[in-house]
Amino acid sequence: MSTLKVPVGPEDHVEGSDYAPVTLVEYGDYECPHCSVAFGIVPRVQQHFGDKLRFVFRNFPLTQIHPEAEPAAETAEFAGAQGKFWPMHGQLFENQVNLGPELYQELAADLDLNPADLTHALENETFTKRVREDFSGGVRSGVNGTPTFFINGQRHNGPFDFETLVKAIEAALPAD
Amino acid sequence: MSSILNAGTPAPDFSLHVTPDQKLALSELRGKPVVLAFYPADWSPVCGDQMALYNEILSEFQKRDAELLGISVDGVWCHAAFSKDRKLHFPLLADFEPKGAVANQYGAYREADGVTERALFVIDKDGIIRWSYCSPIGVNPGADGILDALDALQSKGAK
């Protein structure tokens, strides 16, 4: 059974309470169409569980098959370093078909981030190490493709439609 | 599920096509750890399928001086097209004729389905299986088990 080897920490992008009884960690890739589907499902799952669920997103760019996955991940991290990870994360998935340098510039400007700083960060690979660390931790945890979910540290092997995820999370909730 | 060869068993040698005009024998790789990854079929319809994942982390295998071999019952031309499409940088072996013969020797052939299991073998530099794992056919096993096994080989070697 594959388990999460890197515990959720202060470096992570987290939505929800640190006191939530269940943590859902997703390893994803902004160019992966299945992750885009998951992006439509996760917020519904979060809404369903409210403060009982904490959600964490980590990067797992499959760069050999998705040439924009790495720069997109670094763009999200660039926004994240300025407290705007989640809006950038959402915009990247919303605009998956248009991923590319022009889109990153546009999204940065939309979020009141400096597009020139973004260009600089991508060129200097400022966030490459961060993305690689997410990736390596994912590999050691048994991430086997994208998206891969962990529910309270256990890899979720089934499909990730709303009903299946809800059921799996319910099973991880402590009895009231 | 078939019963695959266990740790401690000498890995059966084989010689299979890696390209239409080239064969590779396991014994040629003696002296290095080998990761043998049986998988059911080329062209599985998910992003980051098992082979794509291994392709992403080839440097992790190289760091450990290990050779990675993918193996399925698909033919050489199918492997060539798949490999090109997914930009794979490691060999895919065709266990094609007689179909599944090598998988059978490793206990990793699914007679009823005509495909191999998702079975992983880590073979040491002397040709002995040091770790093996058979994943449920629908579950991509990832790479954590392989890397743990390769690390264990290295720490043993260091002693």
Side-chain angles (χ1 to χ4, degrees):
Chain A
M1 189 70 181
S2 292
T3 54
L4 195 65
K5 298 294 187 318
V6 184
V8 175
E11 295 297 309
D12 273 304
H13 303 299
V14 178
E15 277 188 329
S17 164
D18 281 347
Y19 301 101
V22 178
T23 296
L24 176 69
V25 175
E26 176 186 353
Y27 279 88
D29 166 325
Y30 290 106
E31 201 176 345
C32 161
H34 306 284
C35 296
S36 176
V37 172
F39 174 70
I41 294 168
V42 168
R44 288 171 57 209
V45 174
Q46 288 177 283
Q47 203 177 10
H48 180 85
F49 288 103
D51 56 11
K52 288 186 183 148
L53 183 69
R54 178 170 70 151
F55 176 61
V56 174
F57 184 87
R58 290 176 176 172
N59 298 293
F60 202 80
L62 295 166
T63 58
Q64 297 288 325
I65 49 172
H66 297 149
E68 284 303 323
E70 176 72 25
E74 292 184 19
T75 299
E77 291 302 331
F78 166 81
Q82 297 167 77
K84 292 182 174 169
F85 176 79
W86 292 107
M88 184 62 91
H89 170 86
Q91 284 302 311
L92 288 166
F93 276 127
E94 297 279 0
N95 293 283
Q96 187 175 61
V97 291
N98 296 319
L99 290 179
E102 278 175 35
L103 177 73
Y104 310 144
Q105 293 287 307
E106 205 178 294
L107 295 182
D110 287 352
L111 292 173
D112 290 324
L113 301 169
N114 187 336
D117 288 351
L118 172 60
T119 306
H120 190 75
L122 292 176
E123 278 173 3
N124 288 294
E125 305 186 344
T126 312
F127 296 99
T128 307
K129 184 165 167 274
R130 155 78 204 236
V131 172
R132 284 293 102 193
E133 279 170 0
D134 271 7
F135 187 90
S136 303
V139 169
R140 294 315 293 236
S141 303
V143 171
N144 53 12
T146 51
T148 292
F149 290 97
F150 291 83
I151 296 170
N152 279 357
Q154 297 292 321
R155 191 176 73 192
H156 171 72
N157 287 326
F160 55 85
D161 58 277
F162 177 78
E163 287 74 19
T164 310
L165 275 181
V166 165
K167 233 187 201 166
I169 291 167
E170 270 168 1
L173 274 175
D176 288 321
Chain B
M1 203 177 280
S2 5
S3 173
I4 60 168
L5 294 184
N6 286 322
T9 315
D13 195 21
F14 55 77
S15 175
L16 290 173
H17 276 283
V18 276
T19 66
D21 51 9
Q22 222 183 347
K23 282 186 133 183
L24 178 71
L26 179 63
S27 52
E28 289 172 41
L29 300 172
R30 203 55 51 82
K32 279 180 158 196
V34 173
V35 178
L36 194 55
F38 288 93
Y39 64 103
D42 292 342
W43 306 109
S44 60
V46 293
C47 281
D49 64 11
Q50 203 179 337
M51 294 303 116
L53 173 71
Y54 296 164
N55 199 38
E56 288 288 335
I57 58 165
L58 267 187
S59 63
E60 297 287 329
F61 296 122
Q62 283 157 358
K63 251 190 253 169
R64 293 163 176 83
D65 199 34
E67 287 287 334
L68 169 68
L69 305 175
I71 176 166
S72 77
V73 296
D74 295 289
V76 274
W77 297 104
C78 183
H79 273 337
F82 178 62
S83 193
K84 189 176 171 205
D85 185 75
R86 302 289 159 95
K87 302 186 180 69
L88 301 183
H89 303 296
F90 61 91
L92 298 179
L93 305 180
D95 194 10
F96 182 69
E97 182 59 41
K99 191 180 174 200
V102 172
N104 225 339
Q105 282 186 289
Y106 281 78
Y109 190 59
R110 295 167 70 91
E111 202 76 51
D113 305 314
V115 296
T116 74
E117 297 280 4
R118 282 192 197 276
L120 303 172
F121 297 86
V122 169
I123 300 165
D124 71 11
K125 59 181 175 38
D126 302 316
I128 309 295
I129 296 170
R130 289 300 169 198
W131 178 81
S132 66
Y133 175 74
C134 187
S135 184
I137 194 91
V139 179
N140 173 348
D144 51 330
I146 300 175
L147 294 177
D148 290 347
L150 286 172
D151 286 347
L153 279 189
Q154 285 195 323
S155 59
K156 256 186 216 157
K159 271 178 204 162

